[in-house]
Structures are given as C-alpha cells and as structure tokens.
Amino acid sequence: MPLRKMTHGSSCLQNRSNCSQIRYPINRLIIEEGIRNDPVVIKILKALPGLSPEYIKNEEIDFSCLNHDTLALCRNKGRFLKPCPGTKEYLCCLYQFLNIGLNCPIDCTYCILQVYLNTNALVVYVNYDDLLSELGSEIMKNPSIIRIGTGELTDSLALDPLTGISLVLIDFFSRQRQAYLELKTKSDHIGDIIDLDHQGQTIMSWSLNPQNVICNEEGLAASLNDRIKAARRCQERGYKTGFHFDPILLYKEWEADYESVIETLFRNVDFRFITWISMGCFRFIPELKPVIQKRFPKSLIVYEEFIPGLDKKMRYPQPVRINIYSKMALWIRKRWPDAFIYLCMESPEVWKASIGYAPDDNLTLKSWLDERCRIR
Amino acid sequence: MLHFEDISAIECMNLSEIDLSDRCFCFRFFSEPPHIFIDSVKRFGILYPPVVRAKGDSYQIVDGFRRIEAANVCGIDTIHCRRCKGSLTDADLFFPALSIFLSSGQPHIADQAAILYRASKLLANDIIIDVILPILGYPSSPKVLARLLPLAEMDKELGSALIGEKINHDMALSLMELDPQERKQLVSLFLYYNYSQSKQREIFEHLKDICKKENRSLKDVLPELGWEGDMEDISSYETPLNLRLKKENENRLFRHSGEGWNPGFSNETPMNLRFTKGDENAQKGFSGENKVASGEAFRQRLKERRFPTLTGLENEWKKRIKSLRLPPSISLKPPPYFEGGKYRLSLSFKDIKGFREEMAKLDALEKDDAWIKLFTK
Ligand code: SF4
C-alpha cells in the first residue's frame, strides 16, 4: 500500500536536515492572540511562509472544530508534567510525561490520540519558559531519579524542525543529574540536535516496526532504515538509545518481519549504547475501533483476535502475547545476550512466561530503568 | 394549500383512467395490497374512498394506493373516489397528501423512510429536514435524515423483518451495507433462529470482522459456519412473528374497514432454505427438533472462528473441570478471558452443617493433583 500523499496546495514542514523528506500537510495556522511577538511563534511563522495566520483569543478558539491540517500555537495554561496514567492491573515503569503539545502529524492508524483528545488539530505550546520553570521545580522536589518523556500526546521529534523544543529540552537536561529525558519518535528529525552537548542525560528512542507495517499503518513516519540510520548517528554522537517494539502488530507474516527488523537493528547499531528495549503488543480502547474502521478502511489491525484486558483495553489473548514476546526476546538475545528488555503494561505473569523475569512491583521496575539511565 | 372544499364529493371513476404507475404520494414501504385485503375488497368493495386528482390525461392517486390496486387485482372497472380540484403542483400537494396519510396513525419507521424518499424527489433538502422530520416526530437534523433514508431502499425480506420488529432499525441500517444476496442470507439466519437483537448484533459484528480479516465474502463464510439458508419469501415461515403479523393484519383490516397494514407477505413463494451438508445441528434445527440448540451451536462455531485462542482456552478449561468431577455444590469459574485476573469459587449450602461439609470437600480438593494442575499453565 502506498504512503498517504500530502494534500495539494498545503504548506509543508520541511526537514532542514539531510534526513528523509517527510512532509506534513498544514493548511491552516491559528495563533492565540497575545503571543504574536513570542520568539517561538516568530520562528514558526518564518518556517511556514505560505500560510496566513489567524489570530484568535484563546477562549474563542474552538479546538473541537479544528481539523488535522490545522496548526494551533498557544500557551499551555495547565501543568506540563504528569505521571504516566498506568493501570493498577499491569506493571508500569512510573514514567513522567511532559506535554509539549497535542496530536501528531504522523497520523498512525492505531494512534490512541484519535479518540483521546478533544481536538484533531496539531497544538504546539509555545510558553517554553513556563514549561522549564515547572520542570525545574518538579525535578528539585524529586529526591530520586526521574525519567521524563515528551512522547505521550505527540511524537517527540515530529514537529521539532519547526518548534525546536527538543533543542531547548536537551540543553536543560544536560544540566541535570537526577533527571533524564527520553525523546521517543518515529521520525528521523535529528538534524538540529545531533551536535548538542547532551551530557548523557538524553536517551534518543525509536519505535520500530517492519517496513510493511510502517507503510500500511504509520502514516507519514520515517522508514525503518531512516529511523535506524538516525539512531546510529545519535549513538556515534554519544547519545544513549532506546528501542520500543510498541505496538507489535500480529499478522500472518509477523514472525519473519519482526525478526528481520531485529536483525537489521543489530546489524546497524551498537548494542553497548542501547539503554533499553521495550515491547508492547497492540492494545486499544474499544472506542478506537470504529474510528480506525472509518478513517482507515484498508487497515486490518482491528480484526485480529482481541479480548478485553483487565484495564478494559482490547488486547491479544494472553497466550498470544506471551508467544510474541518470547519469540521477540529470543531473537533479540541471540544478538545481544544480556539485553535489557522490559514490557510495557503487562502483568508479572506475562513477564515471567515470556522474558523469564518480572519486577515485584512498579517501584522495582522504576529502579531497574533508573539504573539503566545511569550507565554511561 | 388544499382545503376541504377543494375535494369533491364522492365520484364514480373508471379504474382505467387512474394512473397506477404514478407513485408520487405512495407513502408506504410495502405498497402492494395484502391478500387478505384483496379478499375484503372482493367481498365488500372499497369502503373508504381514495383521493385522486386530474393530471394530464389521467388521474393521479393522492391517497389510497392499496385500495385502488386491490380493486385492480379484483378486476373491478369503476370505483368511488374523491377528487382534488384546482391545479396544484406535485410539490404543493405533497403536504396535504401526507397529512391524509398520517391521519390514519403514526407510520412505521419503514413507511417513514418511504415518506422521506418520496419527499426527496419533490422537495428541497432543508424543507425535508426542517419540516417533514419534525412532522414525523424527529429533530431537524441532516444526520437523522441520513440515517432514515437508506431504509427506503430495503428489500422485501429486510423490510418485513423490520416492520415485524424482528430486526431493529440499527441492524437494518447495518444490513443495508451488505450486498443483497448476503443480506438475504443473514436476515434468514436471524429470523430462522429467532435471535435476540443483541445476538444479531454480535453475529453481525463477528461475521463482518471475519470477512475483513480473511478477505472473504459473507457468501463464502456463512456456509463454512453451517448456514447456507436464504429464502425467497420469509413469510412462508410459520414463526411466531409471522403468525402475529398475520393476525395484526387481519385486525387492522377489519378495524379500519380500509387499508390494512401490509407487511408484504404473499404466502405463496416457498421458502428456499438450505443447510451445509454435514451440519447436523442446523438440519435438526430446520426440522424444528432443536432450533434453540442449533442456533446456539451456530453462535459457538462463529465464536470459535472469530476467537480461536479464547475458545481453545475455554474448551481446555471445561475439559479440566470435567476431569475434576467437582461436586454439584462447588463451582469454579476461570478469570475473565483468562487474562490473569481472579478465579471465582462458589459453594452452595443450607446451614452451618452443610457449610462444614463443603469446607471438608474443599480441603480434600486442595490435595488433589488435578485441582493443583488446574492453576498451572
Ligand atoms: S507517532 Fe505516535 S503520537 Fe504520532 S500518530 Fe503515531 S502513534 Fe500517534
């Protein structure tokens, strides 16, 4: 299936680096009245010369009416940092999310954001000063290691060539000792950050899937090769790297395809600089199914066998998940015998049955991951 | 606007002068007169005069399609009608015609769809949304119109099932997404096993998912699950539904002495129902021996196809429980969907003595290898 094409006549967020030419369609630009002169806004406006911005008072912006091709620049009046919602039924690594914006231009078929947010627009929060001050005070309050990621409500790097937020964050974290930043992405937008002095406080992570899954399900994401190339470049510049096989999708040829992804990964990156590898099978809240069926009628991912999990999300049945994780772990360990693998939102039972060990509780899992961050 | 004085007194007209093909104001989903209605016209004539109006060289029917058609079938040459005077356009006459039709009672949802369909041929969309939908008791909303209108395209089987309340509106709309042959097959399956509406939805969703996943058509999948039935006319079933509809039809006919309500049954075409060779349960069901069990067996086969892992786990569990030979007073349920939740044990007893006895049985079970094995994967 070919990649979805950009709409004609739209302005493009074009990569300024030499990475792949990923283009996201943006046809409308809304800017909150009162931030016209914000330096971030001015920078973004310069990068989108073809668009005439509409300035609207914050309270008058009806986010629920905005479309996927709208970029809205505004201030976040709420909190930026919040703990991963997790669930009490499955093990969670007690991660913290930093919300830099809402929605993602990559538009994966399986993306939870389609039903999770009350807007379809790409929202970018431009009040970086507020963000950094909240971050600083939260880190100060926290006595232990804190792992923070920006990839919950958007892709960490997808809009980076435009917003430059990762630049600001990597610089901020480089001055921390207890706090680590994880930038999780399906893009290869590393041009602006590759040469930064990160001080080992940032982990560059990629979500990986076989190329045919990328073509069919991951919208405007970078190809597998481009992601792996970007990861290698980051490793060469001393960045720690992480890889997330999440969501793992089940289909007829999944075994051959996923093993080949693992093969390609280890052929191209140095496992000594991999901080972690995580795995999580595709899961979704029931409300997502009709949305996928409507928006992506060619996608077949929701037609596999699913059962409601303890958290009410639809999941592959437990024996299926165990089989997937065991095989994936085997393929990884063949290439990296001491691989540090963890599972995302799974029960200790599934951990033990598939990768042979399980943390006792969330805090233990957190300590394992914290420890991995420390390794230089 | 049409006023009472614009309608003539009863006049005698030649049936040949009436244009039976002009269906501008035909507001029923099933417009053909039912047999029982034709019988009545044959015996008593038309008791309630239809309304027509002059249009071109002939008369256009404004109200009373089925009465006039029944007269035609009975070979009657002349009938008594009322005639609209004046020269209104079809669009002008639409509302008076509709109000005459609605005076006989709230129309069924299928007839409402027919009304909207006729309206869509004559009136602008905003008039339909803002005026006709509220007349029919709906809010003025394009979404409501979009939901109702497709029902006007239903085939006879589906229309009958909807009118007979054997299939609900949502299911009827879902079935409209299928090709006509597949729709027929599924309607026949639902009616034959008399599945509840929630079971129909479950079956529909599972089948749709299987077809999508396997890239197959319903026509291929249904026989593999043991159902190859379709029917040319579902009315030939002596199901409780059909018997009730027949009765209601008769009651209406005699109550109003006018147009009866016609679910479109002819009772003449034989049901054409086939089962896949080797499907004994279905065949048993067909012979009426064990229809409920056979309907459940179909659902189980469907479930096994849609959820092979889950049904495998369930079957394995049943086997293990059976081999345990638990006393009838003790029952054990696995975690929901075998997803690592909790097992549920229940005991039944009458008094403290009974309770002690059950606890003793549990104590014994605890040492039983088969019991321990039950909890090991
Ligand atoms: S990259 Fe992540 S956030 Fe973006 S659309 Fe895909 S799943 Fe959603």
Side-chain angles (χ1 to χ4, degrees):
Chain A
M1 196 189 304
L3 282 177
R4 269 164 277 152
K5 297 256 166 52
M6 195 189 76
T7 334
H8 287 293
S10 54
S11 182
C12 306
L13 306 182
Q14 200 150 359
N15 211 329
R16 282 171 288 152
S17 70
N18 289 329
C19 306
S20 65
Q21 295 298 299
I22 292 175
R23 290 155 178 235
Y24 308 128
I26 304 236
N27 292 317
R28 193 175 171 203
L29 177 61
I30 288 179
I31 300 176
E32 181 191 321
E33 188 63 77
I35 54 169
R36 274 172 196 261
N37 300 322
D38 187 290
V40 181
V41 172
I42 293 169
K43 176 179 177 283
I44 293 173
L45 270 173
K46 266 194 202 147
L48 296 171
L51 286 177
S52 22
E54 301 164 47
Y55 295 95
I56 307 179
K57 280 189 192 148
N58 187 298
E59 57 279 12
E60 284 170 14
I61 305 176
D62 184 356
F63 285 97
S64 63
C65 292
L66 301 179
N67 293 330
H68 289 92
D69 63 350
T70 301
L71 176 67
L73 308 181
C74 57
R75 283 173 291 198
N76 180 14
K77 305 254 169 68
R79 290 184 59 78
F80 287 93
L81 201 62
K82 61 172 195 169
C84 171
T87 49
K88 62 179 183 341
E89 295 84 4
Y90 299 105
L91 287 166
C92 169
C93 69
L94 306 178
Y95 200 65
Q96 298 279 328
F97 287 119
L98 184 67
N99 291 334
I100 54 171
L102 306 174
N103 271 317
C104 169
I106 292 177
D107 205 17
C108 302
T109 58
Y110 51 72
C111 184
I112 176 70
L113 300 180
Q114 297 172 93
V115 286
Y116 190 66
L117 301 173
N118 73 343
T119 182
N120 291 325
L122 293 169
V123 178
V124 169
Y125 299 134
V126 298
N127 47 334
Y128 295 176
D129 290 345
D130 296 339
L131 180 150
L132 294 179
S133 96
E134 184 185 322
L135 205 49
S137 69
E138 286 301 319
I139 291 171
M140 286 268 284
K141 274 191 238 161
N142 202 302
S144 66
I145 286 184
I146 174 167
R147 283 168 292 109
I148 297 171
T150 53
E152 190 205 14
L153 302 181
T154 183
D155 178 280
S156 292
L157 293 182
L159 289 177
D160 223 45
L162 186 70
T163 66
I165 179 71
S166 301
L167 228 96
V168 176
L169 291 174
I170 293 172
D171 176 59
F172 175 88
F173 276 84
S174 72
R175 282 175 270 116
Q176 309 301 319
R177 282 300 157 259
Q178 294 280 86
Y180 291 87
L181 170 70
E182 184 181 22
L183 296 176
K184 220 186 260 188
T185 188
K186 288 191 185 91
S187 80
D188 57 356
H189 297 161
I190 54 160
D192 293 337
I193 56 172
I194 191 81
D195 293 324
L196 294 181
D197 178 16
H198 50 79
Q199 290 290 320
Q201 296 300 116
T202 296
I203 297 134
M204 298 295 298
S205 287
W206 276 267
S207 163
L208 300 179
N209 254 320
Q211 186 55 42
N212 72 321
V213 170
I214 293 172
C215 290
N216 293 335
E217 315 293 344
E218 295 187 345
L220 298 171
S223 69
L224 176 67
N225 284 343
D226 286 340
R227 289 183 217 179
I228 292 178
K229 256 188 239 161
R232 188 174 58 201
R233 283 186 67 206
C234 284
Q235 284 193 337
E236 285 163 4
R237 302 300 170 102
Y239 276 104
K240 293 167 178 161
T241 49
F243 297 96
H244 300 282
F245 290 97
D246 194 349
I248 301 172
L249 293 163
L250 189 65
Y251 55 97
K252 220 169 159 201
E253 307 82 15
W254 79 270
E255 294 190 36
D257 286 1
Y258 277 91
E259 186 170 13
S260 127
V261 174
I262 291 167
E263 167 65 26
T264 313
L265 176 69
F266 284 99
R267 224 184 316 113
N268 289 284
V269 302
D270 187 337
F271 64 69
R272 288 172 304 164
F273 305 118
I274 298 177
T275 303
W276 47 56
I277 291 181
S278 82
M279 297 192 284
C281 285
F282 178 42
R283 55 209 176 271
F284 58 96
I285 56 172
E287 295 88 312
L288 186 62
K289 183 174 174 179
V291 175
I292 297 177
Q293 286 174 316
K294 195 167 170 210
R295 291 197 63 220
F296 306 103
K298 285 186 182 157
S299 172
L300 299 178
I301 57 174
V302 290
Y303 302 111
E304 283 302 322
E305 183 179 4
F306 291 99
I307 50 103
L310 298 172
D311 55 358
K312 307 277 183 290
K313 281 186 189 160
M314 305 306 291
R315 294 164 170 264
Y316 301 134
Q318 205 184 73
V320 175
R321 303 199 313 272
I322 290 174
N323 177 45
I324 292 175
Y325 297 138
S326 319
K327 288 192 170 142
M328 294 281 292
L330 188 81
W331 300 327
I332 293 168
R333 284 175 179 150
K334 225 158 85 181
R335 283 127 185 135
W336 180 20
D338 302 324
F340 177 76
I341 302 172
Y342 71 94
L343 301 186
C344 188
M345 303 311 291
E346 284 293 359
S347 62
E349 211 179 342
V350 174
W351 274 70
K352 279 189 197 134
S354 50
I355 56 172
Y357 53 82
D360 294 335
D361 50 26
N362 291 348
L363 277 174
T364 311
L365 175 56
K366 177 185 179 322
S367 71
W368 289 359
L369 291 164
D370 292 350
E371 205 41 51
R372 293 294 304 171
C373 290
R374 280 188 212 270
I375 299 171
R376 296 259 150 195
Chain B
M1 193 63 203
L2 189 76
H3 297 286
F4 184 71
E5 57 271 22
D6 297 329
I7 299 181
S8 74
I10 294 170
E11 295 175 16
C12 188
M13 286 180 187
N14 281 333
L15 201 65
S16 58
E17 288 176 293
I18 299 174
D19 182 359
L20 290 170
S21 65
D22 186 332
R23 313 225 131 217
C24 238
F25 308 117
C26 179
F27 296 135
R28 284 195 190 276
F29 180 79
F30 286 120
S31 60
E32 312 84 30
H35 280 248
I36 200 154
F37 188 85
I38 295 168
D39 286 349
S40 156
V41 171
K42 221 179 256 172
R43 285 163 66 191
F44 310 114
I46 294 177
L47 303 177
Y48 188 76
V51 180
V52 297
R53 65 108 166 224
K55 189 180 177 190
D57 297 340
S58 54
Y59 287 103
Q60 180 187 35
I61 306 171
V62 177
D63 175 57
F65 276 85
R66 295 197 310 197
R67 278 164 280 166
I68 294 173
E69 284 200 1
N72 190 32
V73 171
C74 295
I76 295 170
D77 293 335
T78 55
I79 55 169
H80 288 94
C81 296
R82 286 165 172 272
R83 183 170 52 80
C84 293
K85 295 182 240 169
S87 54
L88 294 171
T89 63
D90 285 348
D92 290 336
L93 205 51
F94 187 87
F95 282 100
L98 180 60
S99 64
I100 298 172
F101 177 76
L102 294 178
S103 65
S104 62
Q106 174 73 6
H108 187 274
I109 192 163
D111 292 339
Q112 291 173 349
I115 291 168
L116 294 169
Y117 174 77
R118 297 290 173 211
S120 71
K121 302 282 168 212
L122 292 175
L123 307 172
N125 230 30
D126 52 342
I127 298 181
I128 300 173
I129 292 165
D130 296 339
V131 184
I132 300 196
L133 281 176
I135 289 177
L136 297 176
Y138 293 102
S140 312
S141 151
K143 276 189 189 157
V144 175
L145 180 63
R147 275 177 62 73
L148 289 169
L149 210 47
L151 294 179
E153 314 274 330
M154 285 184 297
D155 34 41
K156 198 166 80 171
E157 288 78 10
L158 183 54
S160 301
L162 178 66
I163 289 173
E165 289 170 12
K166 272 292 171 183
I167 279 175
N168 68 20
H169 171 203
D170 278 341
M171 180 49 68
L173 277 174
S174 300
L175 289 165
M176 289 301 289
E177 294 164 14
L178 305 177
D179 92 38
Q181 184 56 32
E182 294 181 333
R183 185 158 57 235
K184 259 188 181 186
Q185 276 185 298
L186 215 45
V187 171
S188 70
L189 174 80
F190 290 166
L191 295 197
Y192 184 73
Y193 288 127
N194 201 16
Y195 284 125
S196 67
Q197 293 183 351
S198 61
K199 284 181 184 166
Q200 288 174 16
R201 175 54 62 189
E202 170 204 282
I203 291 168
F204 180 83
E205 293 301 332
H206 289 351
L207 282 170
K208 207 170 78 173
D209 287 356
I210 290 169
C211 292
K212 268 287 206 178
K213 182 182 170 189
E214 299 177 7
N215 195 18
R216 316 263 312 276
S217 76
L218 204 59
K219 276 180 278 201
D220 297 332
V221 171
L222 272 174
E224 289 166 9
L225 291 165
W227 180 261
E228 224 177 330
D230 60 50
M231 60 194 86
E232 279 159 19
D233 191 337
I234 56 166
S235 64
S236 49
Y237 279 114
E238 285 284 298
T239 62
L241 162 76
N242 283 343
L243 294 173
R244 186 168 65 79
L245 290 180
K246 208 168 154 189
K247 198 148 186 268
E248 276 181 17
N249 225 3
E250 286 165 10
N251 287 344
R252 277 184 178 231
L253 185 66
F254 292 112
R255 200 168 51 236
H256 299 302
S257 316
E259 266 188 296
W261 173 62
N262 175 15
F265 296 167
S266 71
N267 285 328
E268 281 169 3
T269 330
M271 175 184 71
N272 171 18
L273 190 65
R274 300 185 300 278
F275 294 97
T276 310
K277 218 174 146 199
D279 176 28
E280 282 157 24
N281 273 327
Q283 280 166 1
K284 253 192 231 167
F286 181 46
S287 66
E289 270 176 40
N290 192 2
K291 203 184 259 190
V292 175
S294 167
E296 286 313 299
F298 176 85
R299 281 182 66 222
Q300 182 58 25
R301 288 193 293 276
L302 180 62
K303 190 178 166 195
E304 275 165 19
R305 175 90 165 247
R306 180 71 188 99
F307 302 104
T309 312
L310 181 65
T311 45
L313 291 169
E314 284 170 353
N315 293 339
E316 177 60 27
W317 174 263
K318 275 185 211 149
K319 237 199 283 170
R320 288 185 180 196
I321 286 286
K322 207 173 159 194
S323 73
L324 256 181
R325 290 206 193 89
L326 286 178
S329 53
I330 297 178
S331 78
L332 181 67
K333 291 231 153 46
Y337 306 100
F338 301 88
E339 186 47 34
K342 289 182 178 150
Y343 293 85
R344 184 177 286 265
L345 177 73
S346 65
L347 300 179
S348 43
F349 54 89
K350 259 191 189 151
D351 48 24
I352 190 68
K353 186 173 161 261
F355 174 70
R356 286 187 187 123
E357 281 168 14
E358 295 309 318
M359 293 306 281
K361 285 180 202 163
L362 275 184
D363 269 350
L365 262 179
E366 201 224 339
K367 288 163 200 106
D368 188 329
D369 272 353
W371 176 260
I372 296 164
K373 233 178 109 191
L374 201 57
F375 305 101
T376 20
K377 294 216 162 135

